Amino acid sequence: MECAQFISGYTWGGIVHAYVKQGGAVAPAQSIQLAGFARAGAPPVPADCTSIGTNIGTVVALDANGVLGVGLLHEDCGNASATSAISGTYYACTGSTCAATQVSNPVFVFATDNNGIVLTLPAVAADGAKSLSGTLTFGIGTQTDNRIASEVQYAADSSGNFTTTDSKVTRVVRMGLY
C-alpha cells in the first residue's frame, strides 16, 4: 500500500508490479501505486497518511488518470529511505497490519539513460503561469539530447533539495516525489 501526500490531500492504494514505459524506455517489474485500489481485506488508511487532508484517490478528485513520479534520487524519498522506511509514504501490509517500506524511482532501472533526468521548461512571466509544458529527457550526458552545455544547473543535496536565492527571498526547492 502507498500513501502519496499532496498539498490538496492524499491518495491511498495498493502497490503493484508493472512494466513502466516512458518514451521507449522500459523499467521492468517496477513498483507503482494504484491509487484508490485496495485488495479485499486491505487495512484502513494509517493516521500518518490522512493527516494531510482529504482522500483524492480517484480520477475525478485527483483531476488526472495518474501521476508517475520521477526524481533525481534512486530511492523515491531520497537517501533517508535508502536506509530506513519513512512513515507516511509506503507501506508493506500483511492482513490488517502495515509497516513503512520503500519504493525506488523507475528511471534508475532503465537499461540505458538511467543516471537521472533533464527537465526543460520554458521561461515564466513575472506574474506566473497556471501550467507549463516542457520536455522530460532521460539520462544526463549520455546522448546528444541530454548533454549539459550552458543551462543553469542546480546542485541538489543528499535529500534531493536545492536552494535558490533572489534579492528578497531564499527558497528551498524540494525535488523528487511528484
Side-chain angles (χ1 to χ4, degrees):
M1 301 297 288
E2 174 186 359
C3 171
Q5 295 178 325
F6 302 87
I7 292 172
S8 57
Y10 68 91
T11 62
W12 174 250
I15 295 178
V16 298
H17 292 294
Y19 278 72
V20 177
K21 288 181 84 173
Q22 296 177 292
V26 178
Q30 181 66 34
S31 296
I32 64 169
Q33 178 198 32
L34 292 180
F37 169 77
R39 287 178 169 67
V45 185
D48 58 357
C49 176
T50 62
S51 63
I52 195 83
T54 61
N55 185 351
I56 57 171
T58 67
V59 171
V60 171
L62 188 59
D63 196 24
N65 288 324
V67 176
L68 182 60
V70 293
L72 58 134
L73 302 172
H74 184 270
E75 299 298 333
D76 197 36
C77 295
N79 289 347
S81 71
T83 56
S84 63
I86 298 176
S87 182
T89 52
Y90 303 107
Y91 299 85
C93 302
T94 303
S96 61
T97 304
C98 294
T101 190
Q102 336 170 5
V103 173
S104 64
N105 284 311
V107 173
F108 293 93
V109 295
F110 290 159
T112 61
D113 297 322
N114 56 12
N115 65 339
I117 60 168
V118 177
L119 180 59
T120 307
L121 296 169
V124 178
D127 59 346
K130 184 175 180 179
S131 66
L132 290 174
S133 293
T135 303
L136 176 65
T137 305
F138 302 115
I140 300 172
T142 60
Q143 306 288 329
T144 56
D145 68 347
N146 63 24
R147 299 260 183 252
I148 296 184
S150 61
E151 296 83 6
V152 175
Q153 299 176 43
Y154 299 97
D157 64 19
S158 63
S159 296
N161 302 323
F162 63 91
T163 302
T164 63
T165 305
D166 63 23
S167 62
K168 299 176 185 169
V169 177
T170 297
R171 295 176 182 88
V172 174
V173 180
R174 298 192 62 99
M175 298 294 292
L177 285 178
Y178 307 102

